[in-house]
Amino acid sequence: MNKEIKIKVIVGSTRRGRFGDKPARWIFDIIKKYEGVDAEILDLRDYPMPFFDEMDSPSSVKGEYPNPIVNAWAQKIADADAFIVVSPEYNHGYSAVLKNAFDYIYKEWNNKPVGMVSYGGLGGARAIEQIHQVAVALQMAPIGSSVNILAPWNLLEADGSLKSGALEPYEKNAQNLITQLLLWARALQVLRNNTD
């Protein structure tokens, strides 16, 4: 019998006034409606890792990281079966803080699926393309379905809160993403259990 699937929703921006926490909470609330799923939001603001400057590659340290914040991050990632990364698009790419969070650890990402929710120019599509490349290098399985939120600045009230129903047009895409993510998560969970 399959175990519960643990999905971590990663907020990939730490900037002041960010938009990312809003779609992260939105997709987290959708995930919670699925049976057999345990979801958690991981906010990179809670893991203030320095920019990667370690002498050894994360692939060679076998999960023992010198920095205690990195160790805490690694434990959260190791606990997951799947990820949804919520990413902005900055200058046709994704945020430096998110790249740093990917780069600091290695084996904890391996053999797990990752889906993307992005926002910005072209709905963050160019950021997703880059994340896919990094995910493959980390031995992850990037999901083809994604949620691309166009012009997020138009979805906010004057006080910075999300307009009522602003993300409803993206719910079908979110459901497609979660469905595919869970299929891959269950398959790769079996794979990891048989190779550990």
Side-chain angles (χ1 to χ4, degrees):
M1 182 176 182
N2 287 341
K3 294 188 293 185
E4 187 174 57
I5 297 295
K6 295 181 180 179
I7 298 177
K8 308 297 185 185
V9 178
I10 299 171
V11 185
S13 169
T14 58
R15 68 186 291 188
R16 290 173 292 170
R18 66 185 178 182
F19 177 78
D21 54 334
K22 296 164 184 64
R25 172 58 60 177
W26 166 76
I27 201 154
F28 172 79
D29 288 339
I30 295 173
I31 294 167
K32 287 194 308 182
K33 298 174 184 175
Y34 287 74
E35 290 186 13
V37 175
D38 177 31
E40 180 182 10
I41 293 176
L42 299 182
D43 190 336
L44 291 179
R45 284 182 177 174
D46 298 328
Y47 300 89
M49 293 172 273
F51 278 110
F52 181 75
D53 63 354
E54 299 295 338
M55 182 178 296
D56 297 317
S57 168
S59 64
S60 67
V61 298
K62 298 182 180 176
E64 295 297 326
Y65 303 100
N67 185 300
I69 299 172
V70 174
N71 269 319
W73 174 246
Q75 288 171 14
K76 285 291 186 182
I77 299 307
D79 182 55
D81 296 302
F83 308 95
I84 293 179
V85 174
V86 180
S87 175
E89 182 175 309
Y90 299 155
N91 302 314
H92 291 208
Y94 61 108
S95 69
V97 70
L98 179 56
K99 182 65 164 68
N100 197 51
F102 279 128
D103 288 346
Y104 244 115
I105 61 179
Y106 179 73
K107 74 178 184 66
E108 295 81 3
W109 298 112
N110 294 174
N111 301 317
K112 298 174 184 178
V114 57
M116 266 70 84
V117 174
S118 63
Y119 54 93
L122 298 180
R126 293 166 293 207
I128 286 179
E129 287 182 4
Q130 293 180 15
I131 294 170
H132 274 214
Q133 295 173 19
V134 172
V136 169
L138 291 169
Q139 306 298 331
M140 302 175 80
I143 302 303
S145 299
S146 62
V147 178
N148 302 79
I149 301 170
L150 296 164
W153 45 87
N154 291 332
L155 305 182
L156 300 174
E157 300 285 4
D159 64 0
S161 63
L162 195 63
K163 291 179 180 177
S164 178
L167 296 177
E168 285 179 8
Y170 299 99
E171 285 195 11
K172 184 174 181 183
N173 288 353
Q175 290 165 0
N176 290 340
L177 166 59
I178 295 166
T179 297
Q180 286 297 311
L181 189 73
L182 288 173
L183 285 170
W184 278 96
R186 291 188 179 102
L188 290 173
Q189 186 184 66
V190 171
L191 173 78
R192 292 194 312 277
N193 289 342
N194 290 336
T195 56
D196 286 344

